[in-house]
Amino acid sequence: MVISSVVHHHSVWGHWTQLRWLMNFHRRTMVQWSTAPAQWTLKQKEPVLMPWGASPQSRRALHPASPSFQEVMLTSERYNVQRLPFSHVSNDDVAFFECLMPGRVITNPEELKPFNVDWLKSVQGCSKLLLKPQTAAEVSQVLRYCHERNLAVNPQGGNTGLVGGSVPVFDEIILSTVLMSQIISFDKVSGILVCQAGCILENLNQYLEEKGFIMPLDLGAKGSCHIGGNVATNAGGLRLLRYGSLRGTVLGLEVVLADGSVLDCLASLRKDNTGYDLKQLFIGSEGTLGVITAVSILCPQKPKAVNLAFLGCQSFTQVLKTFTTCRAMLGEILSAYEFMDDKCMELVKRHLKLSNPVTGSPFYVLIETSGSNSTHDEEKLNNFLEKVMISGLVTDGTVATDEKKIKMLWSLRERITEALTHDGYVYKYDISLPVGKLYDLVTDTRARLGQCAKNVVGYGHLGSGRVLEESLRLSSSGDYCFSLFSVSLPHMFCIKEMRGKQEQPIACL
Amino acid sequence: MVISSVVHHHSVWGHWTQLRWLMNFHRRTMVQWSTAPAQWTLKQKEPVLMPWGASPQSRRALHPASPSFQEVMLTSERYNVQRLPFSHVSNDDVAFFECLMPGRVITNPEELKPFNVDWLKSVQGCSKLLLKPQTAAEVSQVLRYCHERNLAVNPQGGNTGLVGGSVPVFDEIILSTVLMSQIISFDKVSGILVCQAGCILENLNQYLEEKGFIMPLDLGAKGSCHIGGNVATNAGGLRLLRYGSLRGTVLGLEVVLADGSVLDCLASLRKDNTGYDLKQLFIGSEGTLGVITAVSILCPQKPKAVNLAFLGCQSFTQVLKTFTTCRAMLGEILSAYEFMDDKCMELVKRHLKLSNPVTGSPFYVLIETSGSNSTHDEEKLNNFLEKVMISGLVTDGTVATDEKKIKMLWSLRERITEALTHDGYVYKYDISLPVGKLYDLVTDTRARLGQCAKNVVGYGHLGSGRVLEESLRLSSSGDYCFSLFSVSLPHMFCIKEMRGKQEQPIACL
């Protein structure tokens, strides 16, 4: 299963063989439709690498240390996959699209390059055509045409995905949501926002903050990622602990199916029990069932008080015990619990000049509280801190209450992914494992790879239940790379190593 | 569309005509499969009607004032629906089932009666066979056999549903989950409970409370309803405001499809992004796609401090303004906001001898807080109460902190449905409307029905966003009854009145 990282959502079918009715749906376009989120947005800036405290820039973008586009291997070569018998884009096709959306049809190879390569520069497609529709009606016309002409399509949002799913594998037409960035409505009483799929997460959050609300999700890639891509990939992110998953907060979707038909499930009722909840099929389906063109989402009120604690722990066991204590003592105001190892902090310091105010610990945790009463919240946080310091669970730490300092501390966590890209190729896995075994994966991988890997680091959300994000950094000469099967149960996780085109399991958990 | 209240989930297809692939799935059994929840459980007691303070019995059960089974009209007569060409149950069929599950095959007409009539006694089927499987394997064998023999099946949970969806329309075989009440596992670290579908909600909650957790949902029918039925109907209930919908808290399902195949989506990971989230299709699908046999659900920790305020308001506008103030000032600890009109309180007093400690207001609200620090929570609640009393939004009220008094106040709200059944037939609608217009429906219906209705009352959750539960009580001689289309958008809501077999719209909102 050499192409597992590209089409990782397919492996699940192995144990649901009864459901032919779902598999057969638009099977033709399924294989080449990969992930929805994608695209270096036009508004994206080059990142400004500042010392700690200067700019908590979280926008994902290219940086000088990255390999150039030319160095990125073609997906088809890396994974030895064969193109399916889709039609090739003809001059007539281009003329049709140019007539449909004049000036928003890109064929210039230079302009196309950043849309063909993923953010981690691990895979590259060779699309020759990029379309930038502005409305669901245009998306519908494009898909109907492509369906009739048997042309493969790759929907793309902010192109911030880390698993190579947002870019074409071959010459699929890239359908970008970059110009679908209109806010359609916001209701202050219910907190329900309706917007087009191409709205950038951070822009939505800024819009809402002015009205006393926030988005129910937050990601390191917020400066570039599109809300449509967030929904298509069921992004969890930094606020999941407090506001739950998109399956609960997304109230409605407008989706264009592969044949061009528009499915309007844009409900703006919090409770809607009529019929099957079809929109759920599209949440997390990564563009394989349709293109999300608009989203209705329930937004929480902006918390009046936010506190942040950045703490040092001497072992991963202590990180876990601190989490249990924290969950019990901070209860309803706990809004984030992130951990990272010292290697992560070393990397953000070296590459991004961010300095960690807490040093000398093998593990760090970032704890955020969000509540309606600052006095109460600070009291709860202080009681908690006193307890973990006295019991020795935590050995060092700092607390921030003002917005600027909070952002600075958050950037230590949010910019780890960016820091990792400065050493060459990075293979990043977002893994769900029982909490107790999370860090064993890092330790075991370090031992297994030895000098072959430049960095093997562990960090991520503990608060979301059982999630580990792990990054493996390989030496630039590295002849190892990893693919990880995304399957639903921990005991089925299987890490494979690949040397050239051969791969063998190295660990089954 | 005379049968809309029986097969109300079908009306949605009108505007999703593209999705033939879903419609064609097991279409044969779809029409006669109605709702999953149902059954007067064996453990169910006759309600003990005590004065206020004596017994906050919330168990739904028959009471002496109800019409006898004989008085309940057959669904097929009331709605003039025709039986589809399913096979009839033969002696050979009964012998097969008796061999499969000896002693758990009921054919005695007397024993079958309560399974054929819904809790509100508004509809009646005439099933001649009730099966009580204990395992998913048995459910699978039953369904495979019925599929081959073309026998219609009606899955039934606690039979507490209020829309007539839990009982057979004709002679469908009733497949009850009453004996599927095993708890499979509970993980204290993650709070994940895995159990069979027939577990009674209240029993699960009691089991969890001993371990410091609670169920993420609570309903008036908790003493009888089955968790499988809760999931099949996507029950919201009293804790939705705090813990969100079942779409977020249900982590996995085991479902047996109509052909007997078992779909195992019993994940116990909080985040699982692999493949399509098929379990979502079964949440709220009311037994039409399969029988839920086991549930994996994320349970929150039991809150350390619970407070309850029961307040009087002079108008519905003040109820809404109090909600806005409450949401802002109580923030993360607000766990319930229920309203009820004075007519509701009059009924629980007259029929159930429950007395409301707050009197003389046209509207009442019940506000519950759940938090981790009693001092903080009481302070927040007091600040809120001071504000709403001074501003005149609230004119009277009482506050409870001890468990017994809290249960008593809750029973004023939870037992309204029970009180309503004491006057004859009740038609109860659980409606989603924009909050501002919620109560207009009650006022307009009262004006329209005049003396024909004994009671028209309004009560329900405001906290869940936009939900109204409205009950219409008709005179026992009443020649009016109502059917309400369950559709997804407010502007499509349409109330119809029926006189004999003729029905006409009386209001389109």
Side-chain angles (χ1 to χ4, degrees):
Chain A
M1 186 75 177
V2 186
I3 58 162
S4 60
S5 71
V6 180
V7 289
H8 64 286
H9 47 276
H10 293 170
S11 59
V12 74
W13 295 116
H15 44 134
W16 286 340
T17 47
Q18 303 297 343
L19 295 175
R20 300 288 175 203
W21 57 281
L22 248 179
M23 289 185 75
N24 290 334
F25 181 63
H26 296 311
R27 192 185 185 91
R28 197 179 59 164
T29 43
M30 197 162 164
V31 176
Q32 288 219 9
W33 276 34
S34 36
T35 305
Q39 133 86 333
W40 273 284
T41 81
L42 298 176
K43 295 174 187 168
Q44 202 165 31
K45 299 169 190 165
E46 287 293 303
V48 189
L49 306 181
M50 295 283 210
W52 153 261
S55 166
Q57 177 60 263
S58 63
R59 202 154 282 182
R60 274 191 194 155
L62 294 174
H63 49 74
S66 296
S68 72
F69 291 128
Q70 280 69 24
E71 292 170 24
V72 184
M73 212 170 167
L74 285 175
T75 314
S76 52
E77 289 174 16
R78 178 182 292 275
Y79 296 107
N80 192 27
V81 280
Q82 298 300 313
R83 188 181 183 282
L84 291 174
F86 288 97
S87 304
H88 291 268
V89 175
S90 68
N91 288 341
D92 283 353
D93 297 327
V94 175
F96 171 84
F97 294 124
E98 189 58 56
C99 179
L100 182 66
M101 44 178 87
R104 293 179 278 125
V105 177
I106 312 298
T107 52
N108 177 338
E110 281 308 306
E111 273 187 78
L112 274 164
K113 269 183 187 164
F115 297 89
N116 267 315
V117 179
D118 74 321
W119 186 76
L120 283 175
K121 294 197 169 172
S122 61
V123 286
Q124 181 163 207
C126 50
S127 175
K128 293 173 180 61
L129 181 62
L130 167 71
L131 302 177
K132 297 179 180 175
Q134 287 176 324
T135 64
E138 285 181 353
V139 174
S140 168
Q141 286 174 286
V142 168
L143 291 184
R144 184 175 300 120
Y145 181 86
C146 291
H147 188 65
E148 284 163 10
R149 278 274 296 123
N150 194 27
L151 288 163
V153 175
N154 180 102
Q156 195 177 79
N159 200 6
T160 61
L162 299 167
V163 293
S166 56
V167 290
V169 178
F170 298 99
D171 59 341
E172 300 93 296
I173 294 171
I174 301 171
L175 186 70
S176 171
T177 51
V178 67
L179 296 184
M180 301 183 70
S181 54
Q182 298 295 311
I183 289 170
I184 297 164
S185 69
F186 178 67
D187 177 10
K188 275 190 190 180
V189 178
S190 61
I192 296 170
L193 172 78
V194 184
C195 66
Q196 283 190 301
C199 291
I200 290 174
L201 181 60
E202 194 169 43
N203 295 353
L204 291 176
N205 205 62
Q206 280 168 1
Y207 169 86
L208 289 169
E209 283 205 2
E210 288 164 17
K211 296 173 190 313
F213 287 79
I214 57 171
M215 286 296 281
L217 77 161
D218 189 18
L219 304 173
K222 62 188 161 210
S224 306
C225 65
H226 295 187
I227 186 68
N230 298 149
V231 174
T233 53
N234 191 19
L238 310 167
R239 287 176 186 161
L240 188 127
L241 179 60
R242 177 64 185 279
Y243 302 113
S245 88
L246 289 173
R247 300 205 173 276
T249 52
V250 170
L251 303 179
L253 292 179
E254 180 190 64
V255 183
V256 181
L257 305 184
D259 66 356
S261 55
V262 180
L263 182 64
D264 182 359
C265 308
L266 256 191
S268 57
L269 287 170
R270 178 154 177 192
K271 185 179 176 183
D272 182 357
N273 260 356
T274 53
Y276 305 126
D277 192 3
L278 294 181
K279 71 167 189 288
Q280 295 287 349
L281 277 177
F282 298 94
I283 300 175
S285 67
E286 313 212 355
T288 55
L289 298 178
V291 178
I292 294 170
T293 49
V295 174
S296 163
I297 190 164
L298 184 67
C299 303
Q301 288 187 309
K302 188 180 176 182
K304 289 177 190 157
V306 177
N307 295 294
L308 199 136
F310 201 92
L311 313 171
C313 292
Q314 294 306 309
S315 71
F316 191 68
T317 307
Q318 291 184 342
V319 168
L320 295 180
K321 284 186 181 167
T322 304
F323 176 55
T324 310
T325 311
C326 168
R327 201 169 51 169
M329 295 186 71
L330 299 179
E332 63 278 3
I333 62 166
L334 178 63
S335 57
Y337 191 98
E338 302 282 322
F339 87 96
M340 51 228 99
D341 62 21
D342 56 349
K343 190 79 187 167
C344 295
M345 293 300 94
E346 195 187 307
L347 289 169
V348 292
K349 187 177 181 184
R350 189 194 314 153
H351 296 301
L352 308 179
K353 314 296 176 216
L354 301 182
S355 64
N356 179 357
V358 188
T359 52
S361 298
F363 291 95
Y364 299 93
V365 296
L366 180 157
I367 297 170
E368 189 192 70
T369 68
S370 306
S372 59
N373 184 311
S374 58
T375 316
H376 290 171
D377 294 2
E378 280 170 32
E379 200 179 311
K380 284 192 183 86
L381 187 59
N382 288 339
N383 289 344
F384 159 73
L385 290 174
E386 199 177 304
K387 177 147 186 178
V388 290
M389 293 295 276
I390 288 173
S391 66
L393 286 178
V394 163
T395 44
D396 198 1
T398 183
V399 173
T401 51
D402 79 278
E403 203 173 336
K404 199 174 162 192
K405 188 122 187 272
I406 286 174
K407 281 197 174 173
M408 291 168 194
L409 287 169
W410 260 119
S411 68
L412 287 172
R413 160 65 185 88
E414 290 185 321
R415 296 184 71 191
I416 294 171
T417 311
E418 184 189 336
L420 283 162
T421 60
H422 282 252
D423 276 341
Y425 290 108
V426 62
Y427 296 88
K428 186 175 171 297
Y429 304 108
D430 196 345
I431 302 169
S432 290
L433 280 179
V435 185
K437 290 188 174 181
L438 275 185
Y439 203 73
D440 292 354
L441 189 60
V442 180
T443 320
D444 292 355
T445 309
R446 269 186 195 143
R448 181 71 182 80
L449 286 178
Q451 295 301 314
C452 298
K454 270 197 177 175
N455 313 299
V456 178
V457 302
Y459 62 98
H461 330 299
L462 260 189
S464 60
R466 304 176 156 205
V467 178
L468 165 74
E469 291 181 67
E470 187 209 10
S471 289
L472 304 167
R473 168 137 302 290
L474 304 177
S475 64
S476 50
S477 69
D479 51 1
Y480 282 97
C481 76
F482 275 76
S483 64
L484 184 74
F485 286 99
S486 286
V487 291
S488 55
L489 294 174
H491 66 271
M492 293 180 71
F493 272 90
C494 181
I495 297 181
K496 296 207 172 188
E497 64 178 311
M498 191 166 74
R499 197 185 286 269
K501 285 174 184 172
Q502 297 295 312
E503 65 170 0
Q504 292 169 331
I506 60 164
C508 284
L509 307 176
Chain B
M1 186 77 179
V2 188
I3 57 163
S4 61
S5 71
V6 181
V7 291
H8 65 284
H9 47 275
H10 294 169
S11 59
V12 73
W13 296 116
H15 42 135
W16 287 340
T17 47
Q18 302 298 340
L19 295 176
R20 300 287 173 203
W21 56 282
L22 248 180
M23 291 185 73
N24 291 333
F25 181 63
H26 297 309
R27 192 184 185 92
R28 197 178 59 163
T29 42
M30 197 162 165
V31 176
Q32 289 217 8
W33 277 34
S34 37
T35 307
Q39 132 87 334
W40 272 284
T41 80
L42 299 177
K43 293 175 189 167
Q44 202 162 29
K45 299 171 193 165
E46 285 296 301
V48 190
L49 304 181
M50 296 282 211
W52 154 260
S55 165
Q57 176 59 267
S58 63
R59 200 154 284 181
R60 272 192 196 155
L62 293 175
H63 49 74
S66 296
S68 71
F69 291 127
Q70 280 69 23
E71 292 171 25
V72 184
M73 211 169 167
L74 284 174
T75 314
S76 51
E77 290 174 15
R78 178 183 293 275
Y79 295 107
N80 192 27
V81 280
Q82 298 300 312
R83 189 181 184 282
L84 291 174
F86 288 97
S87 304
H88 291 269
V89 174
S90 69
N91 289 341
D92 283 355
D93 296 330
V94 175
F96 172 84
F97 293 124
E98 189 59 56
C99 179
L100 182 66
M101 44 177 88
R104 292 180 278 123
V105 177
I106 312 298
T107 53
N108 177 339
E110 281 307 306
E111 273 187 79
L112 274 163
K113 269 182 185 164
F115 298 88
N116 267 316
V117 180
D118 74 320
W119 186 76
L120 284 176
K121 294 196 170 173
S122 62
V123 286
Q124 180 163 208
C126 50
S127 175
K128 291 173 182 60
L129 182 62
L130 166 71
L131 303 176
K132 297 179 179 175
Q134 287 176 324
T135 62
E138 286 181 351
V139 173
S140 168
Q141 286 174 287
V142 168
L143 291 184
R144 184 176 299 119
Y145 181 86
C146 293
H147 188 64
E148 285 163 7
R149 277 273 297 123
N150 194 27
L151 288 163
V153 175
N154 181 101
Q156 195 177 78
N159 199 5
T160 61
L162 298 167
V163 293
S166 56
V167 290
V169 178
F170 298 99
D171 59 341
E172 300 93 297
I173 296 171
I174 302 171
L175 186 69
S176 169
T177 51
V178 67
L179 297 184
M180 300 183 70
S181 54
Q182 298 295 311
I183 289 170
I184 298 164
S185 67
F186 178 68
D187 178 10
K188 276 191 189 179
V189 178
S190 61
I192 296 170
L193 172 78
V194 184
C195 67
Q196 282 191 302
C199 290
I200 290 174
L201 181 59
E202 193 169 44
N203 295 353
L204 290 176
N205 206 60
Q206 279 168 1
Y207 169 86
L208 289 169
E209 283 206 1
E210 288 163 18
K211 297 174 188 316
F213 286 79
I214 57 171
M215 286 296 282
L217 78 161
D218 190 18
L219 303 174
K222 61 187 160 212
S224 306
C225 66
H226 295 187
I227 186 68
N230 298 149
V231 174
T233 54
N234 192 18
L238 310 167
R239 289 177 184 158
L240 188 126
L241 178 61
R242 177 65 186 278
Y243 302 113
S245 87
L246 290 172
R247 300 205 173 277
T249 52
V250 171
L251 301 179
L253 292 179
E254 179 191 65
V255 183
V256 181
L257 305 183
D259 66 356
S261 54
V262 181
L263 182 63
D264 183 1
C265 308
L266 259 190
S268 56
L269 287 171
R270 178 154 177 192
K271 186 177 175 184
D272 182 357
N273 260 355
T274 53
Y276 304 127
D277 192 3
L278 294 181
K279 71 168 187 288
Q280 295 287 350
L281 276 178
F282 297 94
I283 300 175
S285 68
E286 314 212 351
T288 56
L289 297 178
V291 178
I292 294 171
T293 49
V295 174
S296 163
I297 190 164
L298 185 67
C299 303
Q301 288 187 307
K302 187 181 175 181
K304 288 177 192 157
V306 176
N307 295 293
L308 198 136
F310 200 92
L311 312 172
C313 290
Q314 294 306 310
S315 70
F316 191 69
T317 307
Q318 291 185 341
V319 168
L320 296 180
K321 283 185 182 166
T322 304
F323 176 56
T324 311
T325 312
C326 166
R327 203 169 50 169
M329 295 186 71
L330 298 179
E332 63 278 3
I333 63 166
L334 177 63
S335 57
Y337 190 98
E338 301 282 323
F339 87 97
M340 51 229 102
D341 62 21
D342 56 350
K343 191 78 186 167
C344 295
M345 292 300 94
E346 196 187 308
L347 289 169
V348 293
K349 186 177 180 184
R350 189 193 314 152
H351 297 300
L352 308 179
K353 315 295 177 214
L354 301 181
S355 65
N356 179 357
V358 187
T359 53
S361 298
F363 291 95
Y364 299 93
V365 296
L366 180 156
I367 296 169
E368 189 193 69
T369 68
S370 306
S372 59
N373 185 310
S374 58
T375 316
H376 290 170
D377 293 2
E378 279 169 34
E379 200 179 310
K380 286 192 182 88
L381 186 59
N382 289 338
N383 290 343
F384 159 72
L385 290 174
E386 199 178 304
K387 177 148 187 177
V388 290
M389 293 294 276
I390 288 172
S391 66
L393 286 179
V394 163
T395 44
D396 197 1
T398 184
V399 172
T401 51
D402 78 279
E403 202 172 336
K404 200 175 160 193
K405 187 117 188 277
I406 286 173
K407 281 197 174 175
M408 289 169 195
L409 286 169
W410 259 120
S411 68
L412 287 171
R413 161 65 185 89
E414 288 185 322
R415 297 185 68 192
I416 294 171
T417 311
E418 184 190 334
L420 283 162
T421 60
H422 282 253
D423 276 340
Y425 290 108
V426 61
Y427 296 87
K428 186 174 173 297
Y429 303 107
D430 195 346
I431 302 170
S432 290
L433 280 179
V435 186
K437 291 187 174 181
L438 274 187
Y439 204 74
D440 292 354
L441 190 60
V442 180
T443 321
D444 292 354
T445 308
R446 268 185 196 145
R448 181 69 181 80
L449 286 180
Q451 295 301 314
C452 298
K454 272 198 176 173
N455 312 299
V456 177
V457 302
Y459 61 98
H461 330 299
L462 259 190
S464 61
R466 301 174 160 209
V467 178
L468 163 75
E469 291 182 67
E470 187 209 9
S471 288
L472 304 168
R473 167 138 304 290
L474 303 179
S475 64
S476 51
S477 70
D479 52 1
Y480 282 96
C481 75
F482 275 77
S483 65
L484 184 74
F485 286 99
S486 286
V487 291
S488 55
L489 293 173
H491 67 267
M492 293 180 71
F493 273 90
C494 181
I495 296 179
K496 295 208 171 187
E497 63 178 315
M498 190 167 74
R499 196 184 286 269
K501 285 173 183 172
Q502 297 295 313
E503 66 170 0
Q504 292 171 331
I506 60 165
C508 284
L509 308 176

